[in-house]
Amino acid sequence: MDENYLLNTSLSQRLFHECAKNLPIIDYHNHLERKDLTGEKRYRNIAELWLLSDPYKHRAMRICGVSEDYITGGAGDKEKFRAWMDILPRLVGNPLYEWSILEMKRVFEIDLKPGITDPEWLWEQTNRKLSKPEYSAQRILQIFNVEYAAPCASIADDITAFEGTGSIAPSLRGDTMADLNAETIEQLEGIVQTPIFSLHDYCQAIRVRLNDFHRVGCRFSDHALDDGFEYIPDDGRNEQRFITWKQGASLNCDEKKRLSSEILRFLAGEYAKYGWTMQLHIGAQRYTSTRLRKLAGPAGGFAGIGNCCDIRSLTQMLDEFEQGVNGMPKVILFTLNPADNAAMSVLSGSYSGDGVEGNVQQGPAWWWCDHLYGMREVLETISSFGVLSTFVGMTTDSRSILSFVRHEYFRRVLCGWLGGKAANGEITASYEALRKLVEDICYYNAKKRITE
């Protein structure tokens, strides 16, 4: 892998090296541990940094037949590292092969050659560097030139660590608000020092917390609309449903969906009031292997791609958001099913906002799709069905701090794709026009989301 990896034309090389390469990173949604980013987190060895928190790598190891003991089980860190090094040469064609090389190069200045580099040497070299203060989590953010990172935090989480950090702010994970649970209610009551008996009380408590989140820099929320999501308009009975649930009675599936839809409507209006961006992650099938769920937990890297999105539900929900008192929040639609790409891109023209660029837009290739094939497909659909210049660009959505190399990977894919299009006569070959496009997609469009 040389400096022109994925850059097959002189124009694509110029766009990357002169425009994209050195731009700061705005990572508006990830699952990193906030205490790591806001504290003085150090890593005990390369396995902890490189493997233990990365479900992408775990999934690849399972596919290659590695025992779960060497993935999330009881094997030692060095044994897990050796198991990963054993299967890495087999991953040619999978983005993890290139990502792993980039991770070693950018953070440790080591030219990893899978199948050739001696694992024992790599273990010793990386661990020696990790023992130094300059390899803390915060220092790694500086290596990647991360200007803003937004790890997920739920509504009742302690967010005091974000105060005064500037470059680290929470992205509000909204699922525990929309899908009611007693633990969240109890925690909220303790935080706001007010009992919650009704839906009105609940919304008031959430308003208090949203103000707290905004004060520490939160500008993004996130909701999972998993496979089977259905939106149901208000029938005027959701206050009573909440009271019934709060008093200990169970709700049937339809009642739960109605109450969840009501809470989403309320939250969208609050996000619009604050000027936040509401991220909707659509289409994950999170229940696959019961065995792996028990072994590795709900985020263990074994989820699948669900059915195509219920477009009728989605558009009805967005339409009602738009008609709310505070109007439509800015929305990013992430789809896990590639069959939904065109449908999501088209919706960028269905819910415009006066004076707002890309008010509703398709997000970057997400989860199982954030590779060369998936990124190119999303670029094709956004440019064909929407307006590419408003695209908010890449975010990692990852649990591994080394995944910031995916911004470089995305920038290479973008510049290579544009250079190839220009060479084929499909788009302008004007360097100045494409320079502005690259800079906006890679940095400035996301920057606007946290400054406007």
Side-chain angles (χ1 to χ4, degrees):
M1 181 187 297
D2 63 18
E3 65 176 7
N4 290 323
Y5 168 63
L6 296 179
L7 308 171
N8 296 323
T9 69
S10 59
L11 178 57
S12 64
Q13 293 165 14
R14 189 179 178 193
L15 288 170
F16 177 75
H17 293 294
E18 295 181 11
C19 306
K21 181 179 179 179
N22 296 318
L23 286 170
I25 287 174
I26 305 290
D27 198 74
Y28 50 86
H29 177 73
N30 61 64
H31 296 272
L32 299 175
E33 290 288 342
R34 57 190 179 278
K35 65 179 182 295
D36 294 350
L37 303 186
T38 58
E40 291 298 326
K41 169 68 178 179
R42 300 275 297 280
Y43 299 91
R44 63 180 180 269
N45 57 49
I46 186 59
E48 182 189 11
L49 173 65
W50 203 27
L51 302 175
L52 303 189
S53 62
D54 193 340
Y56 283 74
K57 293 185 174 78
H58 299 168
R59 178 176 181 269
M61 294 170 79
R62 293 187 188 109
I63 292 173
C64 290
V66 176
S67 168
E68 193 67 28
D69 193 47
Y70 294 90
I71 304 171
T72 63
D77 289 356
K78 189 171 184 179
E79 293 174 296
K80 291 175 179 177
F81 167 78
R82 290 300 298 259
W84 168 249
M85 291 296 290
D86 285 345
I87 68 107
L88 182 55
R90 301 173 59 189
L91 301 185
V92 174
N94 185 294
L96 285 167
Y97 188 93
E98 283 77 19
W99 292 348
S100 296
I101 293 172
L102 286 172
E103 287 163 353
M104 290 296 105
K105 180 67 174 177
R106 298 297 174 249
V107 176
F108 297 101
E109 298 182 327
I110 290 174
D111 290 317
L112 173 63
K113 295 179 173 58
I116 298 174
T117 299
D118 177 37
E120 186 68 28
W121 176 87
L122 186 63
W123 175 264
E124 293 176 357
Q125 290 296 311
T126 52
N127 289 346
R128 179 177 58 81
K129 292 188 175 185
L130 286 172
S131 68
K132 299 178 180 179
E134 55 264 35
Y135 281 87
S136 67
Q138 290 193 18
R139 174 56 182 151
I140 290 173
L141 294 183
Q142 294 173 15
I143 291 172
F144 285 121
N145 196 18
V146 177
E147 181 178 303
Y148 177 93
C152 289
S154 296
I155 192 69
D157 285 348
D158 182 2
I159 55 174
T160 56
F162 291 107
E163 294 180 359
T165 60
S167 61
I168 310 295
S171 171
L172 176 59
R173 182 73 170 181
D175 297 340
T176 58
M177 292 185 289
D179 299 326
L180 291 174
N181 68 85
E183 183 181 2
T184 297
I185 299 288
E186 183 178 352
Q187 291 172 334
L188 272 176
E189 289 177 325
I191 293 170
V192 304
Q193 293 295 295
T194 303
I196 296 173
F197 299 112
S198 65
L199 183 58
H200 177 267
D201 295 340
Y202 183 51
C203 291
Q204 287 299 105
I206 288 174
R207 284 191 174 102
V208 172
R209 288 299 284 163
L210 292 180
N211 186 65
D212 293 339
F213 270 74
H214 190 78
R215 179 174 48 81
V216 298
C218 181
R219 299 296 182 267
F220 297 88
S221 69
D222 162 58
H223 293 266
L225 308 183
D226 289 344
D227 189 37
F229 162 76
E230 181 183 2
Y231 175 82
I232 306 177
D234 185 22
D235 64 355
R237 299 173 59 190
N238 285 304
E239 182 68 63
Q240 184 56 51
R241 286 189 183 95
F242 185 95
I243 293 171
T244 299
W245 173 82
K246 189 67 170 60
Q247 292 174 344
S250 60
L251 302 178
N252 63 36
C253 183
D254 178 75
E255 290 172 322
K256 289 178 181 177
K257 288 180 178 179
R258 289 179 181 277
L259 193 50
S260 177
S261 297
E262 174 67 16
I263 295 168
L264 282 172
R265 282 190 293 274
F266 161 73
L267 290 170
E270 295 300 302
Y271 301 153
K273 184 171 66 178
Y274 279 107
W276 290 9
T277 297
M278 185 179 193
Q279 300 171 92
L280 301 176
H281 286 82
I282 302 167
Q285 174 53 263
R286 298 180 191 271
Y287 290 88
T288 54
S289 169
T290 300
R291 179 184 68 85
L292 287 176
R293 194 175 185 87
K294 290 178 179 178
L295 286 172
F302 48 84
I305 294 175
N307 294 317
C308 291
C309 175
D310 182 346
I311 297 296
R312 182 177 179 275
S313 272
L314 178 62
T315 54
Q316 188 171 28
M317 181 177 72
L318 294 176
D319 184 40
E320 294 201 3
F321 288 176
E322 188 176 51
Q323 296 178 58
V325 173
N326 298 314
M328 169 82 79
K330 294 184 283 289
V331 174
I332 300 176
L333 302 170
F334 295 78
T335 176
L336 194 52
N337 192 324
D340 287 331
N341 280 332
M344 296 301 154
S345 288
V346 165
L347 290 179
S348 64
S350 300
Y351 304 94
S352 60
D354 289 348
V356 182
E357 293 185 359
N359 193 45
V360 172
Q361 63 172 271
Q362 183 177 6
W366 171 48
W367 205 347
W368 302 135
C369 301
D370 64 348
H371 40 64
L372 179 64
Y373 175 81
M375 289 179 182
R376 285 177 174 170
E377 185 174 10
V378 167
L379 291 171
E380 290 283 355
T381 54
I382 292 177
S383 61
S384 298
F385 297 102
V387 177
L388 187 60
S389 63
T390 66
F391 180 31
V392 75
M394 182 65 180
T395 195
T396 60
D397 193 21
S398 174
R399 288 170 169 77
S400 169
I401 195 169
L402 296 187
S403 66
F404 286 112
V405 298
R406 297 183 202 169
H407 281 270
E408 177 183 341
Y409 184 85
F410 168 79
R411 292 172 181 186
R412 288 178 177 273
V413 171
L414 172 64
C415 294
W417 180 80
L418 289 170
K421 288 279 190 180
N424 292 335
E426 298 175 37
I427 62 171
T428 179
S430 165
Y431 172 76
E432 286 304 315
L434 296 180
R435 174 191 63 79
K436 179 67 164 57
L437 182 64
V438 166
E439 291 176 347
D440 284 345
I441 293 172
C442 294
Y443 176 69
Y444 289 105
N445 289 344
K447 176 77 169 179
K448 291 176 186 176
R449 299 284 171 136
I450 60 177
T451 58
E452 290 184 347

